[in-house]
Amino acid sequence: MEIDLFTLVAQIINFIILVVVLKYLLYNRITKVMDERQERIASQLKEAEQKKKEAEQNAELHQKKLKELDSKREEMLAKIREEAESQRKELIQKASDEVKDIRDKWYESIQREKQTFMNNLRMKAGKEVFAIARRSLTDLANADLGRQIADVFLERIQKLDECEKQILKESVRKSEYEVDISSAFEIPQEIRQKMVQEIRDQIASNVHVQFKISSDLICGIELVANGRKIAWSLNNYLHSLEESLSSAIEEKIKRKQDEIQEE
Amino acid sequence: MEINPDSIVFWKWVYFKINATLFYSWIVMLILILVACLATWNLTAGYRISRWQNILETIVSYMRTQIRETTQEKPDPFLPFLGTLFLFISVSNFLSFVPVYHPPTGSVSTTAALAICVFFAVPVYGIRQLGFTRYFQHYIKSTVFLLPFNIIGRFSRTLALAIRLFGNIMSGTMIGAVLVSIVPLFVPIVMHALGLLIGQIQAYIFAVLAAVYIGSAIRAVQ
């Protein structure tokens, strides 16, 4: 075991050279790279942490927004439901109103038709009644009745007041003393003469009387001179009766219509 | 039988000579530098790294951890010195399985050179870390009378470093040589394997002791 001085010094120098070379070639480079990687990992971890935090915040925000949206949607749905309900009620109300309206109108028109029908029936019945009366009276208008009617007519001529007589005289004069006597039946000869005599006595002596048969006159007799007329006929009575009847019916119809309108 | 590589001289001129110690030291240095060059050729801070870089990064990071644990300081200032000590001794010992190779650490000149490097590195790091005064206060800690003992301690532990490494490696080589002459088959292989293991342990011990000495120097008056 001996120490070679030259080798010792050379080895010291060798070792120092090796240290310096490896320091630059190996350690510095390796440690730099390792530190860089470590820093990079650390920064990436930090970044990841930050991103995670951001993501969490975003998630929270989104959750919150989602919740808000949910509640808003619920609110809107409730509102819409409410509106729909009210609209439905309104529509139903409207429809039922319309139905009621239509029903009322229909009812009214039915009532009116019924009324009209009843009125027509009444009028027709009235007319039928008078037609029956007229026919029966016409059928009854035989000679005896005619005589009696002629008597009544005669009496009427006799009982003319002065004023009427004057008007009649004037008419006869205007008609150049032509007088027509119409009746629904055949007047017997004696009555005819009587009547002519009476007219000549009462109105004018030179009167020319012409007798006619007219079926329009129901059980009646009339004297016509220049449009002026003296008459007695059941038709007149019937007419006035018909008028009073129809006025009574009309009044009743009017009252009924008023009642309907009030309803 | 030649067991001292210093005495195997390849070339000599006046005072200069190239013996086996220097030659194989250069080979070891060349290997280390080549590997360093190869590994650091394509260094990347990315996540996909080459195998060489991976191996070196593992070694370096392990050395840093060891230094940090031993010195209780940031490892980077000591890494080149202590790391190179370990790598040089480790590779020197590891190559001993190559037939014609003589480990440079089997020469007391080499181990003495390394021990001297440690001997001087300790005050250099101490002074750089603490300052001249504070470092030398360590020598007269407790009392001034301890100064000679401290100085003797420094020398003796340096000597111990040198002799320990030399003795272990030299003995390994010597045992190998003796066993080859007695039982030429099988047994020397086992002893060689043991020698490799001892070589690695010695490299570790040398580097760790150097770290301990440096660590104690920079923590001297804390």
Side-chain angles (χ1 to χ4, degrees):
Chain A
M1 185 187 112
E2 57 188 53
I3 293 174
D4 184 64
L5 200 65
F6 172 75
T7 312
L8 178 87
V9 175
Q11 285 292 65
I12 290 173
I13 295 166
N14 277 343
F15 184 70
I16 290 169
I17 290 170
L18 186 65
V19 169
V20 173
V21 169
L22 285 188
K23 180 181 157 78
Y24 289 103
L25 269 181
L26 184 68
Y27 303 116
N28 282 5
R29 287 190 188 178
I30 292 268
T31 49
K32 196 180 154 203
V33 164
M34 282 166 77
D35 287 347
E36 266 176 31
R37 187 184 298 120
Q38 207 164 0
E39 256 174 47
R40 206 164 122 185
I41 289 168
S43 76
Q44 276 175 355
L45 277 177
K46 203 177 165 190
E47 207 176 309
E49 185 71 25
Q50 204 173 336
K51 274 186 181 162
K52 194 184 160 196
K53 212 178 260 180
E54 270 175 31
E56 270 171 11
Q57 276 175 353
N58 275 345
E60 209 173 301
L61 201 74
H62 279 135
Q63 203 74 26
K64 207 172 156 190
K65 271 187 185 168
L66 216 66
K67 255 183 204 170
E68 265 176 34
L69 276 178
D70 255 359
S71 70
K72 211 175 261 182
R73 197 191 62 170
E74 283 297 319
E75 218 171 89
M76 275 168 85
L77 272 178
K79 204 176 161 190
I80 285 166
R81 247 183 241 133
E82 209 174 288
E83 271 177 21
E85 185 62 25
S86 74
Q87 206 157 3
R88 193 179 69 98
K89 272 182 188 165
E90 208 175 292
L91 281 175
I92 285 170
Q93 185 62 39
K94 208 171 159 188
S96 76
D97 282 356
E98 268 174 22
V99 165
K100 196 174 171 243
D101 215 25
I102 288 165
R103 198 187 57 198
D104 284 356
K105 271 182 191 162
W106 176 75
Y107 185 71
E108 206 176 302
S109 77
I110 291 278
Q111 283 292 327
R112 216 168 267 150
E113 265 176 37
K114 187 176 145 196
Q115 201 56 43
T116 314
F117 176 73
M118 287 304 286
N119 292 345
N120 286 344
L121 194 67
R122 277 200 194 100
M123 296 294 262
K124 215 169 181 180
K127 273 183 187 165
E128 284 294 322
V129 166
F130 285 110
I132 289 163
R134 273 199 194 92
R135 204 163 56 218
S136 54
L137 281 171
T138 312
D139 290 347
L140 281 175
N142 56 12
D144 283 350
L145 190 64
R147 191 181 296 262
Q148 279 181 18
I149 289 166
D151 282 348
V152 173
F153 188 67
L154 259 176
E155 201 179 327
R156 187 143 177 223
I157 291 168
Q158 281 165 2
K159 282 181 181 172
L160 281 171
D161 57 12
E162 274 313 305
C163 186
E164 280 176 326
K165 262 184 202 169
Q166 280 306 313
I167 294 164
L168 205 58
K169 273 177 187 170
E170 192 63 28
S171 298
V172 168
R173 198 168 49 82
K174 275 181 184 165
S175 67
E176 292 164 352
Y177 301 103
E178 283 288 336
V179 171
D180 288 343
I181 289 176
S182 305
S183 65
F185 46 85
E186 189 69 38
I187 303 168
Q189 199 56 42
E190 70 220 65
I191 305 289
R192 279 187 187 187
Q193 280 172 3
K194 233 180 184 175
M195 282 168 85
V196 168
Q197 195 58 50
E198 195 62 42
I199 290 163
R200 280 176 183 163
D201 288 352
Q202 292 289 331
I203 301 158
S205 53
N206 55 347
V207 145
H208 179 256
V209 178
Q210 199 174 353
F211 287 93
K212 285 179 186 170
I213 300 291
S214 168
S215 58
D216 288 347
L217 298 164
I218 301 164
C219 299
I221 183 162
E222 68 178 8
L223 181 151
V224 179
N226 195 30
R228 190 77 204 163
K229 150 172 123 172
I230 296 167
W232 183 92
S233 164
L234 265 178
N235 209 14
N236 290 352
Y237 291 110
L238 282 173
H239 265 304
S240 62
L241 188 62
E242 199 172 358
E243 269 168 24
S244 69
L245 184 67
S246 53
S247 75
I249 287 167
E250 269 164 17
E251 200 165 319
K252 201 174 176 188
I253 289 164
K254 208 181 167 194
R255 239 183 308 162
K256 202 87 181 176
Q257 276 173 349
D258 286 348
E259 273 173 23
I260 288 163
Q261 273 172 2
E262 272 169 26
E263 277 174 12
Chain B
M1 189 175 74
E2 191 60 65
I3 51 161
N4 187 0
D6 287 359
S7 53
I8 306 167
V9 180
F10 297 133
W11 178 82
K12 189 171 179 174
W13 179 69
V14 195
Y15 192 69
F16 299 96
K17 61 183 173 189
I18 296 174
N19 53 27
T21 310
L22 286 178
F23 179 73
Y24 292 119
S25 291
W26 288 341
I27 288 186
V28 170
M29 282 165 70
L30 207 66
I31 289 168
L32 281 174
I33 291 167
L34 270 177
V35 169
C37 279
L38 275 172
T40 57
W41 193 261
N42 273 326
L43 277 186
T44 167
Y47 302 119
R48 291 190 70 83
I49 55 176
S50 65
R51 290 176 188 175
W52 284 109
Q53 188 183 342
N54 198 3
I55 291 169
L56 280 195
E57 277 191 14
T58 310
I59 293 170
V60 168
S61 86
Y62 182 72
M63 288 193 298
R64 286 171 100 189
T65 315
Q66 283 292 318
I67 295 166
R68 190 183 289 115
E69 281 175 4
T70 313
T71 62
Q72 307 288 319
E73 293 282 336
K74 278 185 182 172
D76 288 347
F78 318 113
L79 181 62
F81 180 74
L82 295 174
T84 309
L85 262 183
F86 173 75
L87 287 178
F88 180 75
I89 298 166
S90 170
V91 173
S92 293
N93 296 345
F94 178 71
L95 288 176
S96 62
F97 68 87
V98 177
V100 291
Y101 175 81
H102 289 275
T105 41
S107 151
V108 77
S109 306
T110 308
T111 56
L114 295 178
I116 288 166
C117 285
V118 174
F119 179 80
F120 285 107
V122 170
V124 165
Y125 279 117
I127 291 164
R128 199 160 77 175
Q129 203 82 7
L130 301 169
F132 190 84
T133 329
R134 282 181 68 200
Y135 173 72
F136 280 105
Q137 273 173 2
H138 179 63
Y139 284 87
I140 49 166
K141 216 162 86 176
S142 305
T143 160
V144 187
F145 298 115
L146 280 175
L147 178 66
F149 298 103
N150 274 327
I151 291 167
I152 292 167
R154 294 291 184 281
F155 278 107
S156 64
R157 75 187 189 192
T158 306
L159 190 67
L161 261 185
I163 302 302
R164 185 187 297 111
L165 181 58
F166 161 74
N168 273 289
I169 305 309
M170 186 270 289
S171 65
T173 315
M174 192 182 267
I175 288 168
V178 169
L179 278 176
V180 166
S181 60
I182 301 170
V183 226
L185 290 173
F186 306 117
V187 181
I189 297 173
V190 179
M191 292 318 291
H192 253 302
L194 193 66
L196 282 176
L197 181 67
I198 288 169
Q200 296 311 305
I201 291 169
Q202 287 309 315
Y204 176 76
I205 287 171
F206 200 101
V208 165
L209 280 176
V212 168
Y213 299 155
I214 292 169
S216 71
I218 58 175
R219 280 202 310 270
V221 281
Q222 275 175 1

